[in-house]
Amino acid sequence: MILCAQFYTGRNSSSVKSSTVTGILLLHQDRRTISSPKPVLPLHDDNPTRTTPYVVYGLVGANIFIFLFEMTLNQPQLRQFFHLWAMVPQELTASLQETAGAGEWLTLITSQFLHGGILHVAGNMLFLWVFGNNVEDCLGHVKFLGFYLACGIVAALSQWFFSMNSPVPLVGASGAIAGVLGAYILRFPRAEVVTLVPLGFFITTVRLPAYFFLGIWFLQQAFFSFVSLQKTEMVASGGVAYLAHAGGFLVGMLLAPLLGLFED
């Protein structure tokens, strides 16, 4: 499952269960929240490409490199690193009223390259690896990069719009990757996705059409987005920015055709 993680760096966390993930407190759900479904993972798709996805390779490499750098930092350094480069909604809101706060808007891009743990970065890069190459093949390298970053920006703004005063930093590539998924489901709805499915203590693989696999994924994000809007605390979504996922997916569906998704 791809994730945009929300990290808590404040002091008033008495109602939150937390665990240290690379020196930052990653929010977990308590009993008052709805549990996320067990993830199913795409292994690969039966959808060959005509060109080499250099941008996907570069994005995967950049995300892994930055995550490895994060692992070299101690807890205070990592906290400061996230404070500088993650998107913090309340700081973005404050920058609207400050002439010197324009740099805060850069975090809409830099936050896309930050991750909160091995599973976080691994899950995101898996989805980008499986689905990104075909979308890059359709759009071309330059347009794909612009498309990817634009989807990530709009995804982060979707989360910010509903939590403008939150002090919780937002990190992760999943808003941008959600846009890629939105483009993929439009262009290749019947492509088969080999999927890893957990069944209790057993794990199996099944072939699912992209419209089913990605359609179910989006419905989950939309549902949990609705649930998160009913809560007064961002911890209600268990530290996952579902609104960013849903927003990224929708903007991907809207933007990709304008950039030539269906042009041969």
Side-chain angles (χ1 to χ4, degrees):
M1 178 180 293
I2 61 174
L3 300 174
C4 254
Q6 298 167 318
F7 292 93
Y8 184 81
T9 56
R11 297 179 179 177
N12 298 323
S13 56
S14 58
S15 63
V16 181
K17 294 180 181 179
S18 61
S19 65
T20 301
V21 179
T22 59
I24 298 294
L25 297 181
L26 174 61
L27 298 184
H28 288 267
Q29 291 171 229
D30 59 25
R31 289 178 294 179
R32 296 172 297 173
T33 65
I34 293 180
S35 298
S36 301
K38 292 183 178 180
V40 295
L41 297 175
L43 299 180
H44 64 85
D45 60 347
D46 292 333
N47 194 4
T49 60
R50 301 164 296 180
T51 60
T52 302
Y54 293 113
V55 175
V56 168
Y57 293 166
L59 289 170
V60 170
N63 278 278
I64 293 175
F65 176 81
I66 292 172
F67 177 71
L68 292 176
F69 171 74
E70 292 174 22
M71 294 181 66
T72 67
L73 304 178
N74 59 35
Q75 183 170 342
Q77 291 172 332
L78 186 61
R79 190 183 301 274
Q80 180 65 17
F81 183 73
F82 276 108
H83 180 76
L84 289 175
W85 300 111
M87 193 278 282
V88 182
Q90 69 175 11
E91 294 184 6
L92 192 65
T93 301
S95 71
L96 294 174
Q97 303 173 343
E98 300 175 2
T99 57
E104 188 64 31
W105 291 82
L106 182 62
T107 63
L108 293 172
I109 295 177
T110 58
S111 62
Q112 299 178 36
F113 295 88
L114 308 180
H115 290 85
I118 293 177
L119 293 181
H120 188 200
V121 68
N124 279 351
M125 294 305 101
L126 174 62
F127 272 74
L128 178 58
W129 185 269
V130 171
F131 298 106
N133 58 345
N134 293 105
V135 178
E136 182 178 347
D137 192 33
C138 292
L139 297 182
H141 307 306
V142 176
K143 285 195 292 186
F144 175 76
L145 179 59
F147 167 79
Y148 177 91
L149 295 175
C151 288
I153 290 171
V154 176
L157 289 174
S158 300
Q159 189 71 36
W160 166 78
F161 183 80
F162 292 99
S163 56
M164 292 184 180
N165 295 315
S166 171
V168 184
L170 179 74
V171 300
S174 54
I177 299 170
V180 173
L181 304 186
Y184 191 100
I185 197 174
L186 278 183
R187 185 65 177 83
F188 307 104
R190 298 189 180 278
E192 289 191 337
V193 180
V194 179
T195 307
L196 191 70
V197 181
L199 299 173
F201 293 104
F202 301 97
I203 297 177
T204 188
T205 59
V206 297
R207 290 178 177 270
L208 299 173
Y211 71 81
F212 182 82
F213 180 89
L214 297 178
I216 292 297
W217 178 88
F218 174 71
L219 290 177
Q220 290 176 347
Q221 309 311 305
F223 172 74
F224 285 107
S225 294
F226 175 78
V227 170
S228 69
L229 290 176
Q230 312 309 308
K231 306 294 183 178
T232 58
E233 296 179 347
M234 293 178 77
V235 298
S237 60
V240 179
Y242 292 108
L243 287 163
H245 296 176
F249 190 91
L250 292 175
V251 75
M253 294 185 72
L254 293 173
L255 182 58
L258 299 178
L259 296 176
L261 181 67
F262 293 98
E263 296 178 5
D264 293 326

